[in-house]
Amino acid sequence: MSMEASELQDLSDDADYAASQQQGSASMMRSDSGKRSSPSEHEDAELIYLKDNVAIHPTQFASERISGRLKLTKQDSVLFLSWIPYKGQTSNAKLSEKDRSLYTITAVPFTEVRSIRRHTPTLGWQYVIVVLSSGLAFPPLYFYNGGVREFLAIVKQHVFLARSSEDPNVFIVNDFQSPLQRTLSSLELPSSLPVASGQSVYPLDGGSSNENQGRTSADIGNRVSSVIQSGLRKQKSHDPTRDLSIHLLEKFSLVTKFARDTTTQLFSENNGFGTVDKRWNNLPIHSYPEKLSNIAEEKHNEIRHSYSENDLLKDEEISNDIDVPADPLEFNKLSLVWGKPRQPPMGHKEFTALLDSEGRVVESKALRERVFYGGIEHQLRREVWPFLLGYYAYDSTYAEREYLRSVKRMEYATLKQQWQSISPEQAKRFTKYRERKGLIDKDVVRTDRAFEYYEGDDNLHVNSMRDILLTYSFYNFDLGYCQGMSDYLSPILFVMEDESESFWCFVALMERLGPNFNRDQNGMHTQLFALSKLVELLDTPLHNYFKQNDCLNYFFCFRWILIQFKREFEYEKTMQLWEVMWTHYLSEHFHLYVCVAVLKRCRSKIMGEQMDFDTLLKFINELSGHIDLDSTVRDAEALCICAGENGAASIPPGTPPSLPLDDGTLYPQEDDVL
C-alpha cells in the first residue's frame, strides 16, 4: 500500500480509539490469546518484542479495523515478524473471521524485508509499513498506544538498519549497496562450540543460500496473485531441521547475496587509495634470489613440510580433474628456505634476562623476535602482553609500571561509576545506554562459555567481562560497543585476571583494531583491499581465479580479519597466534600474510574443484579447527619476507592494526539511525 493511499484513511474516530485501548488492555489478561501461536510459529523461538493493540485497517474508515498483537521472535539467529489478530474480535461487524485470517502476518523472516517506513505525526496515530524484497507491502500497522521508536530500536539490535538518503522516514533493512556496508549490530557472534567438534559456529542474522533464495523467490511469486485477489497469505515456516553446515552458510550469506554486485565497485574504484593503486601498477613483479629454486630443492629433499593427516588441506584430497596453474613461488618449498621452525615458548628466566636491573626492556626488538618465534609460557603472559599491546612502555621501570597500574585502577573505577550511577529513571531516558547494555548483556553470556574459565551460571568472570565492556562503551562513546568485541576481551581477561588491567589492555588493543567496528566499515575495506593486492603479488594465478569467479572482493576472509582468527583455532592456539601478531616483528599486518598462507595452501583444492563464491565461503568456514598453526605461521613468515617492500607498499597507510592516521576522527560514526 502506498503512502498516498494510507493518508486517505479517516482515522479521527476518538470513541473507536478509546474502545481499542480498552480492548488492548483486556487482551493482556486473556491467557488464550497470550499463549496462542500459529502452526508455523515454533515453540522454541525466543520472544524478542511484544506489542499489544497494533491494528490494521482493511478500509479507509478508522472504525473498520482489526486489532492484534505484534511480535518479534528469533530462531536460529533469524528475526521473524508476526502480527496476530485478537481471536473473535473486530471493531466492526462487517469484518468477518475470514478478513481476520486474511490479514494475519505469520513469522515473516527479516531476510525477506526490504524496508520499513515509519509515520509519526504530531497529532494522530503512528504506523509503520513493512515492504518486502519482492516490492509488495503489508498494510500499515497502526500503534494506537505509540511505540514505533521502540519497535525500530529493537529491530535495530538484531538486523542492520540504514536510514534512506532519499527519505529520512524510510529504513533500509540489510542494505548492502555499498561494499561491506554492514554494522556489527547484525553480525552476531554467539558462543562458539569447542573447536574439537570440527564445526565453526558463527551465525549471522538473515541471509540464505541459493537454494533458500530460490524457495523464497517462489514464495514471493506465489503471493503476488494471492495479494491481488485476497491479500497476503501466510509464509512458509522456517525449517529448523536443516543440516547445520548449510544453515551456517545461509546465515553468513548476507555477504554472499550482495558479493557479486559489489565486486566491481569495490576494486574498480580507488577506494580512497589512488596513490597506492598507481604505485602498485608501476611495481615490477618481485624478483627472488636466483639460487632460491636450487636451495629450496636441496631443503625439500631433507625435510618434508606438510599439514596433519586429518587436515582438510592435504594434497592427497585435492582434485586433479582440472589443471591447476602452478604456484609461482613453489610455495611448498619456499617456507623451508625462509620460514624458521617454531621454538619453545619463552619462560620467566629468559624474559628476566631481557630486562635491566630496574625492569626496562633492554632491546624491544629482541623480545618481540623471541615471542614471534616461540610465543610465551602462559604464566608469563600477564607480564608480557601489556608490553605487546602498548599498555606498558618498553622503557618503563618496575616502579613506573606499578605507579601506572595504581593510577589506571582509580581511573577505571571512575569510568565504571559513570554507568553504575545511572538510575532506572535516567535509563528510561537514555536510549543509547539501554541499547548498548542490552547488547552486551546478550553477548557476554554466550562468549566462550564452553571454556572452563567462563562456564557455569553466575560466573564472576562473565560479570567482569560485562562490566569492562560497559565501561569501555562510556570510555569510547563514539565507538561504543559492537558485537565481536567480547571475542577480543575474553582471552585478555583470562590472561590478566584483573578487571582494571584487562580493561586498559583492551583499550590499547582497540586503539589499533577499533576501526574494524566502524559503521562505515572503512577498517575492513582497507584490509580486504590490501589482502587482494598481496594475493595478486604472491600468487597471481590464484588472484586471477578469484577475479574470474566473482570472488575478488575477498569477503570469504571477512571473519578471519574481523576477529583475528578467533574462530579458526582452539583457545590456546588463538592466544599463541595473537601474541605472534602483536609483536609486529616482521610486519604490523602479519595477519594478512596468514590469510594469504592459508589461501595458498588451499589453492589447488579451490581451483581444482572450480569453487564459486558460495562454495568457497562454505569451504573456508569449514576450515575452522583444521588449520595447523605452526605451519601456517611459518608459511606466513616466508611470504612476508618474500613480499618485502612490495608487500608493504601494497598496504594503504593507516590500515588496521596500524594506528589510525591523525585526521581528528578516530571513529567516524553515522548519525543515529533512529
Side-chain angles (χ1 to χ4, degrees):
M1 179 178 294
S2 67
M3 185 68 179
E4 292 75 15
S6 64
E7 294 290 4
L8 295 176
Q9 296 177 354
D10 178 13
L11 301 176
S12 58
D13 190 341
D14 292 341
D16 222 28
Y17 172 53
S20 71
Q21 286 183 309
Q22 294 174 3
Q23 175 180 315
S25 300
S27 69
M28 294 298 292
M29 298 182 288
R30 292 200 306 271
S31 59
D32 60 332
S33 65
K35 297 179 181 179
R36 182 178 63 86
S37 64
S38 66
S40 59
E41 290 182 306
H42 302 291
E43 295 180 358
D44 58 343
E46 176 187 2
L47 180 63
I48 302 297
Y49 169 86
L50 186 147
K51 181 70 174 178
D52 273 295
N53 203 34
V54 176
I56 282 179
H57 290 264
T59 72
Q60 66 181 16
F61 302 107
S63 59
E64 296 182 358
R65 69 167 177 273
I66 305 174
S67 295
R69 174 173 292 174
L70 183 66
K71 294 198 301 184
L72 294 175
T73 56
K74 197 168 189 179
Q75 184 176 21
D76 298 328
S77 73
V78 178
L79 190 67
F80 294 86
L81 179 142
S82 303
W83 179 82
I84 309 298
Y86 297 137
K87 187 175 182 180
Q89 291 197 19
T90 61
S91 59
N92 192 291
K94 296 179 181 179
L95 297 175
S96 64
E97 186 68 17
K98 181 180 179 181
D99 293 324
R100 189 190 70 82
S101 300
L102 178 63
Y103 288 98
T104 297
I105 302 173
T106 305
V108 177
F110 268 76
T111 53
E112 292 188 15
V113 176
R114 174 190 294 174
S115 64
I116 301 174
R117 171 185 284 277
R118 72 174 180 185
H119 186 67
T120 54
T122 305
L123 298 175
W125 299 317
Q126 304 176 359
Y127 65 81
V128 298
I129 298 177
V130 178
V131 181
L132 300 176
S133 300
S134 63
L136 301 175
F138 290 115
L141 296 167
Y142 285 85
F143 289 66
Y144 277 113
N145 297 330
V148 167
R149 181 183 179 89
E150 177 191 8
F151 168 73
L152 291 173
I154 296 297
V155 172
K156 179 187 173 186
Q157 292 180 19
H158 299 275
V159 300
F160 177 63
L161 287 184
R163 189 191 298 272
S164 170
S165 59
E166 299 178 358
D167 188 338
N169 287 311
V170 173
F171 299 94
I172 310 300
V173 179
N174 293 331
D175 175 36
F176 303 114
Q177 293 181 3
S178 299
L180 282 180
Q181 183 60 41
R182 175 184 184 83
T183 71
L184 292 165
S185 295
S186 59
L187 181 60
E188 293 203 39
L189 303 173
S191 59
S192 58
L193 294 176
V195 175
S197 69
Q199 291 174 333
S200 173
V201 179
Y202 193 84
L204 298 176
D205 286 341
S208 60
S209 66
N210 284 347
E211 176 186 354
N212 196 43
Q213 288 176 19
R215 183 200 67 183
T216 300
S217 299
D219 277 358
I220 295 295
N222 291 336
R223 281 191 212 139
V224 174
S225 59
S226 299
V227 169
I228 294 175
Q229 297 175 15
S230 59
L232 292 171
R233 64 183 179 86
K234 295 183 180 181
Q235 314 289 310
K236 289 187 178 181
S237 61
H238 178 70
D239 181 5
T241 62
R242 286 184 184 165
D243 177 73
L244 177 61
S245 62
I246 298 298
H247 178 68
L248 295 178
L249 176 60
E250 289 177 357
K251 298 307 166 193
F252 199 63
S253 65
L254 274 177
V255 176
T256 310
K257 292 168 64 178
F258 67 95
R260 294 179 181 86
D261 295 337
T262 58
T263 300
T264 303
Q265 182 180 356
L266 182 60
F267 291 106
S268 63
E269 298 175 358
N270 288 336
N271 290 287
F273 315 130
T275 304
V276 176
D277 285 354
K278 186 175 295 184
R279 180 174 55 195
W280 168 268
N281 291 332
N282 293 330
L283 286 175
I285 297 178
H286 189 74
S287 57
Y288 307 105
E290 294 181 1
K291 296 183 179 181
L292 171 60
S293 298
N294 295 333
I295 296 174
E297 188 66 41
E298 294 173 4
K299 295 283 186 180
H300 187 65
N301 293 332
E302 299 173 6
I303 305 173
R304 183 175 180 179
H305 181 67
S306 64
Y307 284 81
S308 58
E309 289 185 356
N310 63 344
D311 201 310
L312 288 180
L313 312 182
K314 284 183 61 180
D315 290 339
E316 289 83 355
E317 299 178 7
I318 295 174
S319 171
N320 294 319
D321 296 340
I322 297 177
D323 291 334
V324 176
D327 188 336
L329 297 185
E330 296 185 277
F331 187 58
N332 286 322
K333 304 173 184 179
L334 181 62
S335 59
L336 298 175
V337 182
W338 280 323
K340 297 181 181 179
R342 301 289 292 167
Q343 301 173 11
M346 180 178 65
H348 190 273
K349 182 177 181 180
E350 191 174 356
F351 173 63
T352 304
L354 296 172
L355 308 178
D356 65 15
S357 59
E358 294 185 321
R360 300 180 185 87
V361 177
V362 177
E363 187 178 353
S364 65
K365 184 177 180 180
L367 172 62
R368 293 185 292 111
E369 180 180 9
R370 180 64 183 88
V371 173
F372 181 87
Y373 285 110
I376 311 165
E377 289 183 356
H378 181 70
Q379 296 80 0
L380 185 62
R381 282 175 172 146
R382 184 174 181 178
E383 294 184 53
V384 179
W385 275 22
F387 286 105
L388 300 179
L389 289 169
Y391 175 45
Y392 292 165
Y394 284 106
D395 60 354
S396 62
T397 65
Y398 291 125
E400 289 170 342
R401 293 195 289 274
E402 180 60 36
Y403 177 73
L404 176 68
R405 287 192 292 268
S406 177
V407 171
K408 289 297 186 180
R409 187 169 289 109
M410 291 187 292
E411 186 177 349
Y412 175 71
T414 301
L415 289 167
K416 188 175 179 180
Q417 185 62 25
Q418 290 181 359
W419 61 265
Q420 286 182 326
S421 63
I422 295 176
S423 68
E425 287 300 315
Q426 284 179 297
K428 290 179 181 178
R429 298 165 175 81
F430 197 167
T431 301
K432 184 64 69 177
Y433 166 71
R434 294 198 312 272
E435 290 178 353
R436 290 178 175 177
K437 182 178 183 299
L439 194 56
I440 291 170
D441 288 342
K442 183 174 65 174
D443 282 357
V444 296
V445 298
R446 54 186 187 180
T447 299
D448 295 324
R449 296 307 296 276
F451 186 57
E452 183 179 1
Y453 191 74
Y454 294 108
E455 69 181 2
D457 298 331
D458 300 321
N459 187 296
L460 296 179
H461 307 305
V462 173
N463 294 337
S464 293
M465 188 188 303
R466 167 187 170 274
D467 290 355
I468 291 172
L469 293 171
L470 262 175
T471 305
Y472 182 78
S473 73
F474 275 73
Y475 171 80
N476 188 346
F477 204 80
D478 284 345
L479 185 60
Y481 173 77
C482 296
Q483 289 170 310
M485 289 184 178
S486 60
D487 278 276
Y488 281 117
L489 177 58
S490 172
I492 293 176
L493 181 59
F494 171 63
V495 166
M496 301 306 296
E497 296 186 292
D498 178 89
E499 194 171 304
S500 173
E501 293 295 281
S502 299
F503 173 81
W504 292 112
C505 285
F506 179 73
V507 166
L509 180 62
M510 286 297 102
E511 286 297 305
R512 290 184 175 275
L513 295 180
N516 278 15
F517 302 102
N518 283 353
R519 287 184 183 177
D520 63 9
Q521 288 295 308
N522 189 55
M524 293 300 297
H525 269 289
T526 56
Q527 290 172 88
L528 290 170
F529 176 82
L531 176 59
S532 74
K533 291 303 183 184
L534 289 178
V535 174
E536 186 176 9
L537 173 68
L538 296 165
D539 196 336
T540 302
L542 180 60
H543 179 81
N544 290 338
Y545 175 84
F546 289 150
K547 183 177 181 180
Q548 294 164 5
N549 289 272
D550 293 337
C551 300
L552 196 57
N553 43 50
Y554 287 82
F555 287 164
F556 46 85
C557 299
F558 192 94
R559 183 176 76 188
W560 292 354
I561 293 174
L562 180 70
I563 50 176
Q564 303 267 291
F565 297 92
K566 173 83 181 321
R567 298 302 171 87
E568 317 315 316
F569 299 99
E570 62 184 17
Y571 209 81
E572 172 61 29
K573 294 292 185 180
T574 297
M575 292 189 290
Q576 292 177 21
L577 176 60
W578 282 8
E579 59 199 16
V580 165
M581 294 191 297
W582 292 346
T583 64
H584 299 163
Y585 174 62
L586 292 179
S587 170
E588 283 187 313
H589 305 94
F590 191 73
H591 68 297
L592 298 179
Y593 291 97
V594 174
C595 293
V596 179
V598 177
L599 291 175
K600 285 179 70 64
R601 281 290 166 187
C602 302
R603 69 188 306 277
S604 295
K605 189 173 184 68
I606 291 171
M607 292 190 283
E609 297 183 6
Q610 292 290 290
M611 293 184 184
D612 59 13
F613 184 90
D614 293 354
T615 307
L616 178 58
L617 180 61
K618 182 176 184 291
F619 172 72
I620 292 296
N621 282 339
E622 290 177 347
L623 289 180
S624 178
H626 297 277
I627 304 173
D628 182 78
L629 178 61
D630 289 351
S631 298
T632 300
V633 170
R634 189 177 178 184
D635 293 345
E637 177 198 357
L639 289 168
C640 188
I641 295 173
C642 190
E645 294 182 357
N646 288 354
S650 68
I651 301 175
T655 298
S658 297
L659 289 173
L661 299 177
D662 187 9
D663 60 357
T665 55
L666 288 179
Y667 302 102
Q669 304 292 318
E670 298 173 357
D671 293 337
D672 290 342
V673 170
L674 305 178

XYZ file of all heavy atoms in Angstrom, residues 163-210:
358
model
N 19.244 4.387 7.423
C 18.278 5.395 7.019
C 18.449 5.714 5.534
O 19.563 5.897 5.047
C 18.470 6.667 7.851
C 17.348 7.699 7.649
C 17.728 9.024 8.290
N 17.921 8.904 9.714
C 16.950 9.035 10.627
N 15.714 9.279 10.231
N 17.211 8.929 11.916
N 17.343 5.761 4.812
C 17.394 6.072 3.390
C 17.885 7.501 3.182
O 17.477 8.418 3.888
C 16.003 5.909 2.760
O 15.985 6.429 1.450
N 18.766 7.678 2.216
C 19.271 9.022 1.906
C 18.204 9.876 1.240
O 18.294 11.103 1.224
C 20.506 8.922 1.004
O 20.182 8.244 -0.204
N 17.180 9.223 0.677
C 16.137 9.953 -0.030
C 14.962 10.320 0.868
O 14.261 11.310 0.624
C 15.638 9.122 -1.219
C 16.725 8.827 -2.247
C 16.205 7.968 -3.378
O 15.024 7.576 -3.323
O 16.971 7.690 -4.312
N 14.716 9.505 1.896
C 13.578 9.746 2.785
C 13.983 9.372 4.199
O 14.216 8.195 4.489
C 12.374 8.921 2.331
C 11.104 9.279 3.109
O 11.219 9.817 4.232
O 9.999 9.008 2.602
N 14.088 10.336 5.116
C 14.545 10.041 6.478
C 13.605 9.150 7.267
O 13.986 8.647 8.325
C 14.652 11.441 7.115
C 13.718 12.294 6.317
C 13.773 11.767 4.923
N 12.390 8.946 6.789
C 11.441 8.082 7.480
C 11.422 6.657 6.932
O 10.609 5.843 7.357
C 10.021 8.674 7.391
C 9.863 9.886 8.286
O 10.219 9.847 9.452
N 9.350 10.972 7.725
N 12.330 6.362 6.004
C 12.445 5.018 5.454
C 13.761 4.415 5.920
O 14.817 5.038 5.807
C 12.378 5.027 3.906
C 12.673 3.637 3.342
C 11.010 5.504 3.443
N 13.679 3.194 6.460
C 14.862 2.493 6.946
C 15.056 1.224 6.123
O 14.170 0.369 6.049
C 14.708 2.151 8.428
C 14.542 3.370 9.289
C 13.276 3.830 9.612
C 15.640 4.077 9.742
C 13.110 4.970 10.379
C 15.486 5.216 10.501
C 14.220 5.669 10.826
N 16.208 1.154 5.475
C 16.525 0.018 4.626
C 17.022 -1.120 5.515
O 17.862 -0.918 6.391
C 17.597 0.374 3.585
C 17.212 1.678 2.855
C 17.773 -0.759 2.589
C 15.890 1.609 2.129
N 16.520 -2.310 5.286
C 16.890 -3.480 6.075
C 17.954 -4.279 5.339
O 17.766 -4.629 4.171
C 15.664 -4.378 6.342
C 16.071 -5.619 7.141
C 14.589 -3.596 7.070
N 19.094 -4.519 6.038
C 20.183 -5.304 5.455
C 20.566 -4.778 4.083
O 20.613 -5.512 3.101
C 19.796 -6.783 5.352
C 19.646 -7.432 6.702
O 20.291 -7.019 7.656
N 18.801 -8.429 6.796
N 20.842 -3.475 4.026
C 21.184 -2.837 2.748
C 22.678 -2.927 2.517
O 23.460 -2.414 3.301
C 20.763 -1.359 2.775
C 21.207 -0.630 1.519
O 21.183 -1.250 0.453
O 21.567 0.555 1.620
N 23.076 -3.554 1.420
C 24.491 -3.711 1.127
C 24.829 -3.131 -0.245
O 25.596 -3.687 -1.000
C 24.880 -5.190 1.167
C 24.565 -5.835 2.471
C 23.606 -6.817 2.549
C 25.207 -5.445 3.620
C 23.308 -7.415 3.750
C 24.925 -6.040 4.822
C 23.971 -7.022 4.891
N 24.212 -2.020 -0.585
C 24.505 -1.427 -1.884
C 25.913 -0.868 -1.922
O 26.536 -0.829 -2.961
C 23.485 -0.341 -2.197
C 22.076 -0.909 -2.401
C 21.079 0.163 -2.735
O 21.457 1.329 -2.871
N 19.825 -0.200 -2.851
N 26.434 -0.436 -0.767
C 27.829 -0.043 -0.677
C 28.617 -1.251 -0.193
O 28.136 -1.989 0.654
C 28.006 1.125 0.303
O 27.287 2.242 -0.137
N 29.825 -1.469 -0.676
C 30.579 -2.643 -0.269
C 30.759 -2.669 1.246
O 31.162 -1.694 1.870
C 31.929 -2.448 -0.985
C 31.617 -1.553 -2.125
C 30.533 -0.647 -1.656
N 30.475 -3.826 1.827
C 30.666 -4.045 3.255
C 29.925 -3.045 4.123
O 30.347 -2.755 5.235
C 32.166 -4.000 3.607
C 32.944 -5.245 3.277
C 34.397 -5.060 3.673
C 32.367 -6.451 3.943
N 28.819 -2.487 3.634
C 28.058 -1.519 4.429
C 27.231 -2.299 5.437
O 26.072 -2.593 5.241
C 27.147 -0.690 3.502
C 26.369 0.408 4.212
C 27.283 1.391 4.873
O 28.285 1.760 4.298
N 26.946 1.813 6.064
N 27.870 -2.668 6.489
C 27.234 -3.533 7.474
C 27.795 -3.225 8.841
O 28.977 -3.213 9.034
C 27.521 -4.993 7.138
C 27.007 -5.969 8.185
C 27.438 -7.372 7.793
N 26.890 -8.323 8.719
C 25.660 -8.795 8.628
N 24.872 -8.386 7.671
N 25.220 -9.668 9.500
N 26.967 -2.982 9.819
C 27.445 -2.787 11.180
C 27.395 -4.095 11.912
O 26.744 -5.038 11.499
C 26.570 -1.785 11.945
O 25.322 -2.422 12.211
C 26.345 -0.518 11.167
N 28.074 -4.137 13.010
C 28.121 -5.368 13.764
C 26.899 -5.566 14.637
O 26.813 -6.517 15.395
C 29.390 -5.364 14.616
C 30.604 -5.474 13.707
C 31.851 -5.100 14.449
C 30.707 -6.864 13.144
N 25.940 -4.648 14.528
C 24.678 -4.890 15.208
C 23.983 -6.100 14.616
O 23.227 -6.787 15.286
C 23.762 -3.660 15.096
O 24.309 -2.578 15.779
N 24.235 -6.341 13.314
C 23.626 -7.505 12.681
C 24.610 -8.644 12.535
O 24.264 -9.693 12.025
C 23.085 -7.129 11.298
O 24.117 -6.639 10.486
N 25.843 -8.452 12.997
C 26.843 -9.506 12.916
C 26.939 -10.161 14.270
O 27.749 -9.794 15.085
C 28.191 -8.925 12.505
C 29.334 -9.925 12.353
C 29.003 -10.960 11.304
C 30.608 -9.213 12.006
N 26.108 -11.146 14.537
C 26.080 -11.759 15.851
C 27.200 -12.765 15.968
O 27.448 -13.550 15.076
C 24.737 -12.439 16.091
C 23.613 -11.443 16.191
C 22.448 -12.022 16.962
O 22.686 -12.720 17.951
O 21.323 -11.778 16.558
N 27.869 -12.753 17.111
C 28.953 -13.679 17.370
C 28.636 -14.461 18.635
O 29.172 -14.190 19.696
C 30.273 -12.910 17.548
C 30.672 -12.034 16.377
C 31.891 -11.216 16.741
C 30.947 -12.870 15.160
N 27.754 -15.426 18.569
C 27.405 -16.174 19.764
C 28.527 -17.097 20.177
O 29.516 -17.248 19.478
C 26.172 -16.964 19.335
C 26.355 -17.161 17.880
C 27.061 -15.918 17.382
N 28.362 -17.733 21.304
C 29.431 -18.575 21.827
C 29.740 -19.689 20.846
O 28.861 -20.296 20.269
C 29.003 -19.177 23.159
O 27.827 -19.931 22.996
N 31.026 -19.947 20.685
C 31.435 -20.963 19.728
C 31.429 -22.324 20.379
O 31.634 -22.464 21.571
C 32.839 -20.648 19.210
O 33.743 -20.595 20.280
N 31.203 -23.354 19.554
C 31.334 -24.712 20.027
C 32.806 -25.024 20.173
O 33.656 -24.381 19.570
C 30.704 -25.679 19.022
C 29.192 -25.577 18.842
C 28.768 -26.534 17.738
C 28.451 -25.892 20.117
N 33.162 -26.007 20.991
C 34.568 -26.395 21.067
C 35.095 -26.716 19.677
O 34.446 -27.414 18.898
C 34.533 -27.646 21.958
C 33.279 -27.501 22.763
C 32.309 -26.800 21.857
N 36.274 -26.202 19.380
C 36.817 -26.370 18.034
C 37.025 -27.836 17.713
O 36.988 -28.257 16.572
C 38.132 -25.581 17.899
C 38.780 -25.834 16.557
C 37.856 -24.106 18.072
N 37.199 -28.630 18.744
C 37.414 -30.052 18.520
C 36.249 -30.703 17.802
O 36.377 -31.746 17.175
C 37.645 -30.762 19.844
N 35.107 -30.079 17.895
C 33.937 -30.629 17.222
C 34.033 -30.527 15.717
O 33.284 -31.148 14.991
C 32.662 -29.903 17.692
O 32.647 -28.573 17.219
N 34.946 -29.676 15.258
C 35.124 -29.538 13.822
C 34.118 -28.644 13.161
O 34.071 -28.542 11.963
N 33.310 -27.952 13.944
C 32.304 -27.073 13.373
C 32.582 -25.656 13.802
O 32.955 -25.393 14.929
C 30.908 -27.486 13.848
C 30.463 -28.820 13.279
C 29.149 -29.248 13.882
O 28.823 -28.869 14.994
N 28.400 -30.028 13.158
N 32.383 -24.737 12.886
C 32.589 -23.329 13.174
C 31.249 -22.666 13.352
O 30.470 -22.565 12.423
C 33.358 -22.669 12.034
O 33.439 -21.294 12.218
N 30.967 -22.227 14.561
C 29.666 -21.629 14.835
C 29.803 -20.125 14.796
O 30.399 -19.522 15.670
C 29.148 -22.080 16.213
C 27.811 -21.444 16.495
C 29.022 -23.596 16.237
N 29.255 -19.556 13.761
C 29.399 -18.107 13.583
C 28.194 -17.583 12.843
O 28.266 -17.049 11.757
C 30.668 -17.849 12.773
C 31.147 -16.449 12.749
C 31.942 -15.948 13.767
C 30.816 -15.606 11.693
C 32.403 -14.656 13.716
C 31.277 -14.326 11.648
C 32.077 -13.856 12.654
O 32.548 -12.583 12.603
N 26.985 -17.743 13.416
C 25.784 -17.354 12.679
C 25.629 -15.864 12.563
O 26.032 -15.113 13.437
C 24.649 -17.964 13.513
C 25.200 -18.077 14.884
C 26.672 -18.298 14.725
N 25.022 -15.449 11.473
C 24.708 -14.054 11.236
C 23.225 -13.940 10.996
O 22.601 -14.816 10.431
C 25.449 -13.536 9.992
C 26.966 -13.582 10.083
C 27.546 -13.133 8.762
C 27.441 -12.686 11.205
N 22.647 -12.816 11.423
C 21.223 -12.631 11.226
C 20.900 -12.534 9.748
O 21.462 -11.741 9.017
C 20.748 -11.324 11.895
C 20.698 -11.474 13.394
O 20.666 -12.629 13.855
O 20.688 -10.444 14.088
N 19.947 -13.333 9.341
C 19.425 -13.226 7.981
C 20.279 -13.940 6.974
O 21.253 -14.596 7.249
N 19.886 -13.773 5.719
C 20.639 -14.352 4.633
C 20.139 -15.739 4.285
O 19.473 -16.408 5.039
N 20.477 -16.208 3.129
C 20.056 -17.524 2.685
C 20.979 -18.033 1.620
O 21.683 -17.315 0.954
C 18.618 -17.474 2.157
O 18.528 -16.586 1.085
N 21.006 -19.317 1.459
C 21.778 -19.918 0.385
C 21.023 -19.780 -0.917
O 19.899 -19.343 -0.964
C 22.016 -21.406 0.699
O 20.785 -22.085 0.671
N 21.665 -20.219 -1.993
C 20.990 -20.150 -3.275
C 19.701 -20.950 -3.262
O 18.684 -20.560 -3.812
C 21.919 -20.689 -4.381
C 22.986 -19.689 -4.723
O 22.902 -18.525 -4.332
N 24.004 -20.122 -5.443
